[in-house]
Amino acid sequence: MHRVTLFAGHYGSGKTNLAVNYARALKKEHERVVIADLDIVNPYFRTKDSAEVLEREGIEVISPEFANSNVDLPALPASLYGVVQRRDRYAVLDIGGDDRGAYALGRYAPYILEENDFEMIFVANFMRPLTRTPEEAVEVMREIESAGGIPFTAIANNTNLGRLTDAAVIREGTEKSRELSRLCGLKIIFTSVEKNLARGLDTDGVFPIELQKKYYDL
Amino acid sequence: MAKVLMKGNEAIAEAAIRSGCRHYFGYPITPQTEIAAYMAKRMPKIGGTFLQAESEISAINMVYGVSSAGCRVMTSSSSPGVSLKQEGISYLAGCDLPALIVNVQRGGPGLGGIQPSQSDYFQATKGGGHGDYRLIVLAPASVQEMADLTAKAFDLADKYRMPAMLLADGTIGQMMEPVELPEDMRTTVYEKPWAVTGTENKREHNIVNSLYLVPEQLEKKNIERYEKYKTVEKNEVMYEEYMTDDADVCVVAFGIAARVSKNAITAARAKGIKAGLIRPITLWPFPKDVIARTAEHVKGFVSVELSMGQMIEDIRLAEGCKKPVTLCSRVGGMIPSPEEVLKAIEDMEGGAF
């Protein structure tokens, strides 16, 4: 278990949802857990949407000051330095989508690399139109690495089709993740699956997750 | 093509490409920037044009140029940016040029905010630019409809030689849902003998222009255009009816407000209140007839909007003030909750309004 876990990937791959679930799982094993939202490109669906449940469970939440507000101001709070400089707690970092989102990581990268106790996870959803193939995913991976300044160390297979996700979708994602793993030489850390669907699966390495939902999501 | 998981904004962009659009001009603004970002990635790979203009005003005038040359073309923005485009939209209308303008609305007026809104209804359906003109206005309520109505808008624009607008909101632009897009989304290929494509000395040259020096000619042109609008009103109205057959209370809502309303209608039915929904898909032409018919058997209407009450005026005109129409709305980037809509339905049912 590394002190810092980062979730990055193509936008819409499910980074935020995964980061929130991962932080909650981490809290069950460790006293001090902080989740930090470094996403300055996504205006609507954010870590802060889950702030209430996270804080209730004793997880510290650090978000851009203007997240979920009406202001389009991509500024990160000073307290984010505390996440990479103070090493007495486990940290989960939710990075913005694509290379554009990962640029914000660059200023914290030297601290993370110096400490050298991190897992940089590439979140893969092969049902997204611009990452349908392992080759396309590698392209996105390289773009993010060069923007964020931290190399990926693992892959999370988060392949899903929203509410239409089924075993076949997961299977397709698993196969493509294995191919991606072969292409880039990184391990698959887990396959994340919505918890009700996860119950019926006999796949190895499943990380059951809860979905962030909004009431107009019919 | 198998289903993929797309953001509403991406679905618009991909559907435009599959509808034969190879020219996109825009300027970034939240919450529609993914349209431009997607076009920037895709257009160079398929021999199309993606151009980030220096402003919304120049983007809409680039649309004017490409449309004059007979090609499918689009621009997109969000509320303040669409205000900037209004002069160009009026010129498109005045030249009878087809084009797609996408507005993924955010809160206003002024700079407003980046959260979702439907408060550009008046601007989209009643003009916005100067002069007598109409836009075909389509209102998607799902990511799939973002795609399908983009294709539809291109077809209608070409068919009637007029600009069309996709009036979405930030929520549907940002939300992700499974969608299925056919490889080719064009239904008909329209001949454009009016386009300025070079005469090759074989025909009289075409002129695209909205300036008329003789008032009699300009009057004639306006009257002809309104004859065309009558045909659109007769043939192209689109709406969805949901549990209206036996309804005592009829909700009218489009886009994201319609999704919330469906939740509220389910809750109302569970309480024994016969509620139903009319969801306009074309905001212009507005589905007047179905509202007039429904007025015969309901106690009243509830207009659910993310505005201070804009569509409510068209509902009242359509039902001829026969029945009460109340407003249930949130503004400034807020969305009415199903509970708030349910309360409005209950108030209408109980006569407390």
Side-chain angles (χ1 to χ4, degrees), chain A residues 77-107:
Chain A
S79 54
L80 256 169
Y81 278 107
V83 175
V84 290
Q85 290 175 334
R86 275 176 50 195
R87 298 175 179 179
D88 59 346
R89 51 195 173 162
Y90 284 86
V92 178
L93 269 57
D94 177 15
I95 314 299
D98 286 347
D99 47 347
R100 288 173 304 130
Y103 280 115
L105 176 60
R107 59 194 276 195

Side-chain angles (χ1 to χ4, degrees), chain A residues 165 170 191-203 206-209:
Chain A
T165 311
I170 308 281
T191 292
S192 38
V193 183
E194 194 276 323
K195 62 178 185 185
N196 291 316
L197 183 60
R199 251 178 239 133
L201 287 178
D202 57 351
T203 318
V206 168
F207 176 47
I209 59 170

Side-chain angles (χ1 to χ4, degrees), chain B residues 197-239:
Chain B
T197 52
T199 65
E200 296 176 0
N201 291 323
K202 286 176 189 160
R203 59 164 169 83
E204 274 298 298
H205 64 277
N206 288 333
I207 299 173
V208 171
N209 173 46
S210 65
L211 174 65
Y212 289 82
L213 298 179
V214 182
E216 285 84 354
Q217 285 179 6
L218 181 55
E219 182 187 51
K220 184 168 168 282
K221 194 75 208 165
N222 271 285
I223 291 169
E224 281 170 11
R225 200 171 286 127
Y226 268 69
E227 286 303 315
K228 174 172 80 181
Y229 293 160
K230 271 188 204 161
T231 313
V232 178
E233 286 190 277
K234 189 163 158 275
N235 295 337
E236 307 298 346
V237 171
M238 290 169 67
Y239 58 87

Side-chain angles (χ1 to χ4, degrees), chain A residues 128-145:
Chain A
R128 296 278 293 135
L130 298 183
T131 54
R132 290 286 283 153
T133 66
E135 291 76 15
E136 286 171 332
V138 170
E139 202 180 309
V140 174
M141 244 177 163
R142 299 301 173 232
E143 287 168 2
I144 292 171
E145 285 176 331

Side-chain angles (χ1 to χ4, degrees), chain A residues 3-210:
Chain A
R3 192 188 73 78
V4 180
T5 307
L6 305 99
F7 290 93
H10 180 41
Y11 77 86
S13 58
K15 298 172 295 298
T16 299
N17 215 7
L18 217 47
V20 166
N21 277 277
Y22 193 82
R24 293 177 71 188
L26 208 55
K27 185 67 178 78
K28 288 180 184 139
E29 293 169 32
H30 300 283
E31 185 53 35
R32 301 200 62 193
V33 174
V34 57
I35 183 167
D37 177 5
L38 267 80
D39 189 346
I40 52 167
V41 290
N42 183 355
Y44 284 9
F45 300 95
R46 323 193 48 120
T47 311
K48 209 171 181 175
D49 295 335
S50 302
E52 205 177 307
V53 60
L54 288 163
E55 282 164 358
R56 196 167 55 230
E57 292 176 7
I59 299 165
E60 195 185 336
V61 181
I62 297 178
S63 284
E65 198 176 336
F66 300 105
N68 286 13
S69 80
N70 247 338
V71 187
D72 206 359
L73 218 168
L76 292 170
S79 54
L80 256 169
Y81 278 107
V83 175
V84 290
Q85 290 175 334
R86 275 176 50 195
R87 298 175 179 179
D88 59 346
R89 51 195 173 162
Y90 284 86
V92 178
L93 269 57
D94 177 15
I95 314 299
D98 286 347
D99 47 347
R100 288 173 304 130
Y103 280 115
L105 176 60
R107 59 194 276 195
Y108 309 100
Y111 301 96
I112 296 167
L113 292 171
E114 195 264 326
E115 182 188 5
N116 197 23
D117 188 8
F118 66 90
E119 192 86 271
M120 171 80 167
I121 300 175
F122 179 77
V123 181
N125 181 357
F126 290 103
M127 293 295 150
R128 296 278 293 135
L130 298 183
T131 54
R132 290 286 283 153
T133 66
E135 291 76 15
E136 286 171 332
V138 170
E139 202 180 309
V140 174
M141 244 177 163
R142 299 301 173 232
E143 287 168 2
I144 292 171
E145 285 176 331
S146 79
I150 296 187
F152 282 106
T153 58
I155 299 159
N157 172 28
N158 190 47
T159 300
N160 74 88
L161 200 48
R163 62 179 184 276
L164 296 184
T165 311
D166 58 16
V169 168
I170 308 281
R171 208 176 308 123
E172 184 181 334
T174 306
E175 279 162 24
K176 288 182 175 175
S177 295
R178 284 187 188 137
E179 181 55 28
L180 174 62
S181 171
R182 271 192 291 277
L183 283 175
C184 64
L186 301 178
K187 64 183 183 258
I188 300 168
I189 195 162
F190 55 69
T191 292
S192 38
V193 183
E194 194 276 323
K195 62 178 185 185
N196 291 316
L197 183 60
R199 251 178 239 133
L201 287 178
D202 57 351
T203 318
D204 288 341
V206 168
F207 176 47
I209 59 170
E210 274 180 42

Side-chain angles (χ1 to χ4, degrees), chain B residues 158-203:
Chain B
D158 276 353
K159 183 176 176 185
Y160 293 102
R161 273 185 73 181
M162 59 188 287
M165 178 174 279
L166 194 71
L167 192 71
D169 65 78
T171 321
I172 296 177
Q174 291 295 324
M175 72 197 310
M176 291 176 64
E177 288 181 322
V179 288
E180 192 160 6
L181 308 185
E183 211 50 57
D184 188 347
M185 297 180 78
R186 285 172 296 187
T187 52
T188 318
V189 176
Y190 294 89
E191 294 299 320
K192 296 181 177 177
W194 48 265
V196 282
T197 52
T199 65
E200 296 176 0
N201 291 323
K202 286 176 189 160
R203 59 164 169 83

